[in-house]
Amino acid sequence: MTWETVIGLEIHVQLNTRSKMFCGCSTAFGDPPNTNVCPVCLGLPGALPVPNAEAVRLGTRAALALGCTIHRRSVFARKNYFYPDLPKGYQISQFDQPLATDGRVEFESPERGRVSVHIQRLHLEEDAGKSLHDRIPDRTAIDLNRAGVPLAEIVSGPDMQSPAEARAYATALRQILVYTGVSDCSMEQGSLRIDANLSVRRPGEPLGTKTEVKNMNSFANVERALLAERERQVALLESGQAVTQVTLLFDAASGRVQPTRSKEESHDYRYFPDPDLPPLVLSESWIEQQRATLPELPDAKRERLTSEVGLPAYDAGVIAAEPALADYFEAVVAAGVEPKTAANWLMGEVMTGYNESGRFDVAPARLAALVRLIDEGAVSHQAAKRVYAELLVVDEAPAAVAERLGLTQVSDTGALMQWVDEVLAAHPAEVERYRGGETKLVGFFVGQVMKRSRGKADPKGVQPVLLERLAAPGL
Amino acid sequence: MTSVARIAERVRNGGETAGAVASRTAAALEDSTGLNATLHWSRELLHRRAGEITERVSAGEQLPLAGVPVALKDNIVSTDEPTTCASRMLVDYVSPYEATAVTRLREAGALLAGKANLDEFAMGSSTEHSAFGRVRHPLDPERVPGGSSGGSAALVAAGVVPAALGSETGGSVRQPASFCGVVGVKPTYGRVSRYGLVAFGSSLDCISSFGRTVDDAARVLAVISGPDPFDSTTVDRPPIAPPEPPRDLRGITIGLPREYFPDDLDPGVRAGTDRTIAALKELGAELRQVSLPHTALAVPTYYIIAPAEAAANLARYDGVRYGQRRIGPNGDIRALYQATRGEGFGAEVRRRILVGTYVLSAGYAAQYYAKAQRARALIAADFAAVFAGGVDLLFTPTTPTPAFRAGEKTDDPVAMYLADIFVSPASLAGLPAMSLPIGRSDGLPIGGQLIAPMFHDEQMLAAAAVLERAVPAVEEVR
Amino acid sequence: MTIGADQVRHIARLAEIAVADDELPVLAKQLDRIVGYVAQLDRLPADEDAAPFNAGPESLRLRADQVNPWPMIGGPMAMAPESADGFFLVPRRGTGAEA
Ligand SMILES: [Mg+2]
Ligand SMILES: [Zn+2]
């Protein structure tokens, strides 16, 4: 008999602000420890929080993009627990009156086709600092530069049925958040963090005991960690043991999940409304303005790229995966390139460069100019790739580059005729055989012309000239 | 003792230098050592600050509090001397930033004159719960000055400074003002910034002022009040204007809430309030019996909400980033926390943190915290209904008894809490309220309380200034 | 309603405050007295209600997103009980016996 898997994800994303959630300190990543701190984020006696408008705006936009209901009145609450990197001994978060509830994310499940995952809530909160355990012997080193950085916590329903599906959900969610400019969603810099709840059960039975899996630092590792945890739970149950409610950490090196060592404490966070912060009240008109200014979201983009622009679904999926890619694509098309041609370029040379540098080094208009050279027959497709490589490093028009590198194709009949005549003169025996009915030798002659022209001859122009000369008597 | 207005005027026009005021204040502080009312002050600091004031006066700055000595309760952070909150936890702690109220005092030319003793983290009603010893009542060293701002009240009562800042959470300025025979004013919640006031019960905490007279206390409030971008709970209203008292109280309706005049009210307090009520009538005020039916819920409500907020507010004292650290027996982080907090907090603070933790903990929050929120709303609604019914101000006794003896209530925390029975309701409702001296009983001061509608601080101060002229502060009432 | 030594131990742990075993009975008695006193709110009739009360402004003011650190004199390490290389230091979690 099979096991069903039930997975829900809690995702924390860092909101893309310059300053922290409740103070004017910088959110810059990678600064020396404890340099972006002040009385507020150090939790000094007497300091008070002052909330950042941009964090509220970005959180609202994220929630709107996820189809959530925005609550016109939400309340910040204190979540009380002791941890050395939590300066005040409580985290300012939202509890029973969050910013937004009841959204959904639709995506392609690897197993089930199109599925919809319920977003239970999205709330705003501040991040804790960072604890470094291996920096100084026997000591934990605390850096509070992160403390107070604004986060949105996005909690899904227990709607995913496999680790691969959880990964696909997280990927879809990330796309939406990047599209809306809410977050960089960089797992390396910790601006996107994923925690998962997983349980297994026999079909038709009530939900099993769930465990929490943390420390999954890439999308691939989300899938790996959850596969490992599912296997662990199934093994326990099949050997007649019970699953206990624990928090587990994923170890990417070994591919295993390990229960956290500290004794499981009863989580009694003693939430209550933060008396330092009056209720967050948003006007209907402001919310509508945010809704109206949302960019096109990945799903809509994919839909448009297939149905309106006419791309194959695969191409549309690749191009819509990142807003930067999609924007570039649209700019190239707008510059006059036929969409499928633009898509091919994007998924080829352009993507390779972008994945390496994170930038588009060739402006859309230059790429369009290059594509026009191909269309006009001025360069071959092969030659165009060499031109493109050069465009990455020099600031020159594509035509000039092709000229300089000697890659310009010749379609001038006079020049072609000269190369054709030379080739025919050099191969009298083959000409004889051709004229005797061996017409497949045309390919041989074209190849020879290309060779003689060192690739400059436009192959499309060669054939008619060749046929004409072969048909002409007296040569 | 010269008034705040007079000192400022003399210093501004050169009649006296800030340096001379500093010398006089230093001498008075030295003489008052027996009160144990200050935790930190120094002659050198006083003179350095006086020097800065003198420079600004010579440069022609019109400073509203030029050279006026103002003591600070030691839970208000200042940057050039320690802020200890009268706790072992913060011995030697010097804040790297300054409270907004302190900045505004300095900018107004006030001479910061010492950090005043208090109940540890402002938790108490007698200033006996200071880690650095109790404050003595200026008129009777065996008695308490009230609390938690007992040091500030005693310094003003003893004439050491003309004005001082205290803080209120549930009457911590009005109650000691009453005990010591001075004026204590708690503004509407949100009119004075809490930035730099060490938090106790954040939804209740208000920096408040003491003075010998209504005008003295009001002039200090005028300087420190007004919105502050560093405190999200300040309201967008202009600073409190110093009162321009009318001739009498004609046209003003004063409510006398029956719940504040119980049968077992101390006879001296009753005699004092009777005399004041007669004076109010004589001044032309219309008096009206009113009822605030949920008054009895105020103390229990307060002792749920304030400790709950305090438990969270005091979690930051963990020995990690600042303050005193104790290592503990096992040397791990939890042992560090527990030892630091176990040894750093005194008995009353520990009790309140534990009560606050309890009333918010799983399984109890609905029974205590949620119910207290509902009771708080009912208490606020009581006041709102009375004011909506045409009452301009309420008059009540500030405390059920005059200053009690040291040690009298330390064994029973609840008995101590009941000393705040008449002051905690206005705190819960966020209303402006004040105490002013209305006579003495067996030599001990009696205080009368005025409570006003939200944001009617100015009207309350004006009426108090009229009343103050009519009621002798130091006369025996019986 | 009675608070016993076990309950005091539990909440003291939540609040991370060391309480010696011999203090437990006294503390339990005091807390029981306080909690017993505040429990009189149980008498609050269930049908009596008023609009929720919020001290201060009705709604939150928001600040513009500008990097503008709140004023502070000196660096944070000057206050730290223990520090190295710009970090605050604490015992590593799990060092020593778990409580
Ligand atoms: Mg969270
Ligand atoms: Zn900060």
Side-chain angles (χ1 to χ4, degrees):
Chain A
M1 202 154 116
T2 54
W3 293 93
E4 277 180 8
T5 311
V6 179
I7 300 171
L9 298 188
E10 282 179 26
I11 297 188
H12 288 85
V13 291
Q14 178 178 341
L15 298 169
N16 206 349
T17 60
R18 285 188 282 270
S19 66
K20 291 186 180 181
M21 182 80 203
F22 294 114
C23 61
C25 291
S26 166
T27 56
F29 178 81
D31 283 352
N34 295 305
T35 50
N36 296 324
V37 293
C38 76
V40 177
C41 55
L42 285 168
L44 295 189
L48 296 170
V50 183
N52 183 338
E54 183 64 2
V56 172
R57 195 182 75 93
L58 293 174
T60 304
R61 290 173 77 78
L64 288 168
L66 299 174
C68 291
T69 304
I70 308 290
H71 296 289
R72 289 196 45 196
R73 189 175 188 279
S74 64
V75 172
F76 285 103
R78 295 183 180 178
K79 178 181 183 180
N80 297 285
Y81 65 98
F82 284 86
Y83 205 81
D85 60 22
L86 185 71
K88 299 184 296 296
Y90 58 84
Q91 178 195 31
I92 305 178
S93 179
Q94 294 188 305
F95 181 53
D96 53 359
Q97 298 182 70
L99 175 65
T101 53
D102 285 324
R104 69 198 173 104
V105 171
E106 281 189 20
F107 60 97
E108 294 297 319
S109 155
E111 291 104 3
R112 293 192 288 158
R114 194 138 186 94
V115 293
S116 171
V117 163
H118 181 228
I119 302 295
Q120 292 180 343
R121 57 188 278 140
L122 179 148
H123 69 248
L124 302 173
E125 60 185 29
E126 56 175 346
D127 205 350
K130 211 162 137 188
S131 294
L132 297 106
H133 300 291
D134 46 10
R135 171 100 194 190
I136 286 156
D138 294 335
R139 285 290 182 262
T140 293
I142 311 290
D143 174 10
L144 297 177
N145 282 349
R146 271 203 84 84
V149 160
L151 303 177
E153 179 176 330
I154 302 165
V155 182
S156 83
D159 299 347
M160 285 150 274
Q161 299 182 1
S162 74
E165 208 168 286
R167 178 182 180 175
Y169 159 76
T171 307
L173 183 69
R174 179 187 184 277
Q175 278 184 15
I176 294 170
L177 297 173
V178 172
Y179 259 72
T180 43
V182 163
S183 174
D184 295 340
C185 290
S186 153
M187 288 187 94
E188 302 79 63
Q189 297 192 358
S191 62
L192 180 116
R193 299 198 291 271
I194 302 177
D195 300 330
N197 288 303
L198 183 147
S199 63
V200 297
R201 64 172 168 190
R202 296 290 192 191
E205 288 189 356
L207 289 174
T209 304
K210 67 181 178 186
T211 58
E212 193 180 7
V213 187
K214 289 174 176 279
N215 204 32
M216 302 174 288
N217 56 0
S218 71
F219 288 97
N221 281 343
V222 169
E223 188 172 349
R224 285 175 70 205
L226 294 179
L227 282 167
E229 175 54 10
R230 177 168 70 182
E231 200 176 309
R232 192 188 69 88
Q233 288 192 14
V234 167
L236 278 174
L237 294 172
E238 288 188 340
S239 67
Q241 291 169 274
V243 172
T244 49
Q245 204 165 348
V246 287
T247 298
L248 304 114
L249 298 180
F250 178 64
D251 176 33
S254 68
R256 290 171 46 174
V257 286
Q258 303 279 7
T260 48
R261 240 187 316 158
S262 72
K263 197 157 64 175
E264 191 56 24
E265 290 150 26
S266 57
H267 287 299
D268 187 348
Y269 290 124
R270 291 160 283 133
Y271 282 100
F272 71 100
D274 190 334
D276 290 331
L277 296 163
L280 173 62
V281 178
L282 305 173
S283 75
E284 199 62 59
S285 62
W286 183 83
I287 295 169
E288 284 317 309
Q289 184 198 332
Q290 294 310 314
R291 194 194 306 277
T293 53
L294 280 183
E296 185 180 35
L297 296 176
D299 251 354
K301 177 88 76 185
R302 270 186 291 271
E303 170 60 24
R304 191 169 55 78
L305 290 182
T306 48
S307 67
E308 280 179 40
V309 179
L311 289 185
Y314 174 81
D315 295 22
V318 173
I319 289 168
E322 275 193 62
L325 219 51
D327 289 350
Y328 186 81
F329 168 78
E330 306 219 46
V332 173
V333 172
V337 177
E338 192 269 321
K340 179 57 188 162
T341 307
N344 289 344
W345 271 95
L346 227 74
M347 295 189 297
E349 316 304 301
V350 174
M351 189 91 105
T352 309
Y354 177 67
N355 286 343
E356 279 166 17
S357 69
R359 295 189 313 264
F360 297 105
D361 293 298
V362 176
R366 293 176 83 208
L367 179 57
L370 178 58
V371 172
R372 258 193 309 278
L373 291 181
I374 305 171
D375 290 346
E376 289 162 2
V379 294
S380 70
H381 194 80
Q382 270 319 105
K385 288 185 179 181
R386 286 179 56 195
V387 174
Y388 182 84
E390 193 70 8
L391 292 181
L392 293 173
V393 290
V394 301
D395 187 22
E396 231 178 309
V401 171
E403 195 69 48
R404 180 164 55 74
L405 297 180
L407 294 171
T408 312
Q409 286 184 146
V410 177
S411 47
D412 167 62
T413 318
L416 290 178
M417 202 179 294
Q418 191 180 334
W419 283 321
V420 167
D421 288 349
E422 284 170 18
V423 164
L424 296 184
H427 297 93
E430 284 77 7
V431 171
E432 205 58 36
R433 280 163 58 199
Y434 174 87
R435 287 186 173 151
E438 226 177 304
T439 52
K440 67 173 197 279
L441 280 168
V442 167
F444 164 79
F445 291 123
V446 170
Q448 289 303 309
V449 172
M450 294 308 291
K451 206 166 152 188
R452 183 162 288 266
S453 73
R454 287 194 301 275
K456 285 195 211 170
D458 173 4
K460 272 180 276 169
V462 170
Q463 192 148 338
V465 174
L466 192 62
L467 293 178
E468 185 190 319
R469 301 303 280 171
L470 282 167
L475 212 145
Chain B
M1 184 89 216
T2 323
S3 74
V4 165
R6 183 84 185 113
I7 296 171
E9 194 191 320
R10 282 167 58 83
V11 171
R12 273 198 304 266
N13 63 28
E16 189 181 23
T17 64
V21 179
S23 299
R24 190 150 49 79
T25 305
L29 280 162
E30 208 152 77
D31 287 348
S32 72
T33 309
L35 296 176
N36 195 34
T38 31
L39 295 177
H40 190 273
W41 70 275
S42 82
R43 202 173 288 271
E44 189 221 325
L45 262 178
L46 277 170
H47 281 285
R48 192 162 74 217
R49 291 165 180 164
E52 288 163 17
I53 296 163
T54 302
E55 264 177 48
R56 292 171 61 199
V57 167
S58 332
E61 280 190 61
Q62 287 303 303
L63 305 172
L65 296 181
V68 175
V70 180
L72 303 176
K73 187 178 183 179
D74 201 28
N75 62 348
I76 300 172
V77 302
S78 50
T79 50
D80 49 7
E81 58 194 326
T83 301
T84 67
C85 297
S87 179
R88 282 191 298 276
M89 188 65 87
L90 291 176
V91 172
D92 298 333
Y93 173 77
V94 179
S95 173
Y97 78 98
E98 186 174 69
T100 299
V102 176
T103 306
R104 290 180 179 175
L105 281 177
R106 270 199 310 103
E107 284 172 355
L111 177 65
L112 302 182
K115 303 294 293 271
N117 203 350
L118 64 152
D119 284 300
E120 183 179 0
F121 285 104
M123 296 178 189
S125 305
S126 66
T127 321
E128 292 171 285
H129 299 302
S130 164
F132 309 116
R134 73 177 180 93
V135 176
R136 283 161 184 80
H137 193 290
L139 296 173
D140 179 352
E142 297 310 311
R143 290 183 188 267
V144 303
S148 64
S149 311
S152 300
L155 287 172
V156 174
V160 177
V161 288
L165 294 192
S167 70
E168 279 240 3
T169 305
S172 275
V173 162
R174 285 166 287 155
Q175 187 256 24
S178 169
F179 279 13
C180 291
V182 297
V183 173
V185 188
K186 174 197 118 58
T188 303
Y189 182 88
R191 287 200 84 169
V192 175
S193 169
R194 295 184 292 117
Y195 190 63
L197 167 65
V198 178
F200 161 15
S202 311
S203 74
L204 299 149
D205 293 344
C206 288
I207 292 185
S208 306
S209 68
F210 290 100
R212 305 264 286 182
T213 63
V214 175
D215 191 71
D216 286 355
R219 282 176 191 272
V220 170
L221 272 187
V223 160
I224 63 173
S225 55
D228 178 12
F230 292 131
D231 177 359
S232 302
T233 59
T234 52
V235 290
D236 288 317
R237 300 236 170 195
I240 295 168
E244 284 169 31
R247 186 180 297 274
D248 54 36
L249 296 177
R250 257 188 282 261
I252 293 188
T253 303
I254 293 184
L256 304 170
R258 84 170 58 92
E259 292 79 7
Y260 286 68
F261 297 90
D263 291 340
D264 58 353
L265 193 64
D266 175 90
V269 173
R270 182 173 296 281
T273 53
D274 283 351
R275 195 180 72 165
T276 309
I277 290 166
L280 287 167
K281 201 176 287 177
E282 211 146 298
L283 287 164
E286 187 192 318
L287 295 172
R288 193 189 292 179
Q289 298 289 327
V290 297
S291 173
L292 299 164
H294 296 94
T295 300
L297 299 179
V299 174
T301 299
Y302 176 86
Y303 279 96
I304 291 169
I305 291 173
E309 294 181 6
N313 282 329
L314 273 65
R316 65 188 62 195
Y317 307 105
D318 58 5
V320 174
R321 298 165 312 285
Y322 52 82
Q324 299 295 308
R325 173 187 284 193
R326 302 283 191 287
I327 295 306
N330 298 324
D332 70 343
I333 181 66
R334 298 198 56 165
L336 183 153
Y337 285 151
Q338 293 178 7
T340 299
R341 294 166 58 77
E343 294 169 38
F345 294 135
E348 180 63 15
V349 172
R350 187 168 71 164
R351 273 196 291 274
R352 296 211 196 180
I353 291 174
L354 294 177
V355 168
T357 305
Y358 177 76
V359 298
L360 282 174
S361 64
Y364 296 101
Q367 191 180 343
Y368 294 103
Y369 185 77
K371 212 164 267 181
Q373 290 300 338
R374 198 152 66 83
R376 184 175 188 176
L378 290 166
I379 290 161
D382 279 357
F383 282 112
V386 165
F387 291 130
V391 169
D392 298 306
L393 289 169
L394 296 167
F395 175 75
T396 80
T398 310
T399 56
T401 66
F404 49 85
R405 281 175 201 287
E408 200 178 308
K409 297 182 196 283
T410 39
D411 288 340
D412 180 2
V414 173
M416 183 77 87
Y417 298 169
L418 288 169
D420 293 334
I421 192 156
F422 299 149
V423 282
S424 50
S427 293
L428 288 165
L431 300 173
M434 64 184 291
S435 179
L436 72 167
I438 55 170
R440 290 191 178 172
S441 166
D442 295 330
L444 291 173
I446 308 289
Q449 175 173 234
L450 290 172
I451 303 172
M454 205 75 95
F455 306 119
H456 287 228
D457 308 68
E458 287 88 348
Q459 290 88 332
M460 174 182 79
L461 289 164
V466 174
L467 186 58
E468 163 180 69
R469 288 197 304 248
V471 179
V474 295
E475 204 175 272
E476 279 291 323
V477 292
R478 287 187 292 171
Chain C
M1 163 52 50
T2 43
I3 293 189
D6 281 351
Q7 208 141 14
V8 174
R9 205 179 281 118
H10 171 69
I11 54 179
R13 207 181 143 83
L14 273 177
E16 298 286 16
I17 290 180
V19 175
D21 280 348
D22 59 353
E23 293 177 289
L24 283 171
V26 183
L27 205 45
K29 211 176 126 213
Q30 288 173 337
L31 295 189
D32 191 55
R33 167 98 172 101
I34 297 167
V35 171
Y37 172 73
V38 299
Q40 62 179 281
L41 287 192
D42 283 344
R43 296 201 309 254
L44 199 62
D47 59 347
E48 255 194 296
D49 235 330
F53 176 76
N54 268 314
E58 303 269 290
S59 65
L60 206 46
R61 275 193 305 269
L62 302 172
R63 133 187 97 77
D65 180 27
Q66 281 159 1
V67 176
N68 178 20
W70 276 211
M72 188 166 87
I73 301 163
M77 293 306 121
M79 300 181 283
E82 188 187 356
S83 67
D85 304 342
F87 292 99
F88 297 103
L89 298 187
V90 296
R92 191 177 290 175
R93 211 176 162 84
T95 34
E98 281 284 314

